[in-house]
């Protein structure tokens, strides 16, 4: 058990995984996420600052959703983020296609080593929350 202070309201809560935010604030954040998702869909030309202001969400929060690949923007949207590896501007996730391919290659070379790497079913929770937002 990992008790932490909520990053939003300061309340103590049992931190399990992900952001240090208590269940109540997380719920509010999910509502915000739906607002942002809707706004982005209705205003595909809006940049990240406009979305942040209109939905009253921090720019950093929106960027985090983009990194988590929960928010998606159309190809003509001005919203872009630098690849965390080479700095190339991308629309979602953390890395550009090129770096993603390199990372995948590196990962598979690790797995191909003689000693089999035991793969644990981690990040189950993350996948679960992602699946809830497939109804776009
Ligand atoms: Zn809280
Ligand atoms: Zn890159």
């Amino acid at each position: 058990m990992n008790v932490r202070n909520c990053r939003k309201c300061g309340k103590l809560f049992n931190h399990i995984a992900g952001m240090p935010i208590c269940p109540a604030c997380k719920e509010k954040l999910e509502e915000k996420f739906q607002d942002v998702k809707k706004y982005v869909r209705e205003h595909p030309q809006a940049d990240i600052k406009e979305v942040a202001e209109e939905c009253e969400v921090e720019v950093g929060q929106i960027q985090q959703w983009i990194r988590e690949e929960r928010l998606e923007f159309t190809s003509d949207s001005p919203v872009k983020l630098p690849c965390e590896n080479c700095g190339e501007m991308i629309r979602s996730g953390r890395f550009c296609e090129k770096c993603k391919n390199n990372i995948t290659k590196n990962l598979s070379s690790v797995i191909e080593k003689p000693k089999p790497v035991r793969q644990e079913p981690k990040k189950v929770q993350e996948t679960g929350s992602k699946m809830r937002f497939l109804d776009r």
Side-chain angles (χ1 to χ4, degrees), residues 12-60:
L12 280 174
F13 72 107
N14 289 322
H15 181 244
I16 299 159
M19 280 195 296
I21 287 175
C22 76
C25 291
K26 209 173 221 168
E27 205 169 298
K28 264 183 247 165
L29 205 59
E30 283 309 317
E31 283 171 23
K32 280 284 173 204
F33 175 71
Q34 295 303 328
D35 285 353
V36 169
K37 205 170 83 162
K38 189 160 166 270
Y39 188 85
V40 167
R41 197 161 46 201
E42 286 166 5
H43 304 84
Q45 300 293 329
D47 64 19
I48 200 160
K49 229 176 133 223
E50 183 187 332
V51 178
E53 275 167 20
E54 289 297 321
C55 301
E56 292 173 13
V57 186
E58 290 160 40
V59 169

Side-chain angles (χ1 to χ4, degrees), residues 66-120:
I66 300 172
R67 294 285 190 208
E68 290 169 356
E69 297 187 42
R70 291 179 66 188
L71 266 186
E72 273 182 45
F73 294 89
T74 52
S75 54
D76 55 350
S77 165
V79 178
K80 285 192 173 62
L81 280 181
C83 164
E84 284 186 8
N85 190 49
C86 71
E88 189 169 304
M89 295 313 272
I90 51 171
R91 279 196 306 276
S92 78
R94 297 173 58 197
F95 304 105
C96 68
E97 282 306 315
K98 209 173 66 200
C99 294
K100 236 189 252 178
N101 286 339
N102 284 341
I103 290 159
T104 315
K105 240 184 269 170
N106 289 343
L107 278 182
S108 54
S109 70
V110 169
I111 291 165
E112 277 162 19
K113 274 180 183 174
K115 266 190 183 177
V117 179
R118 193 183 290 249
Q119 281 191 317
E120 286 184 342

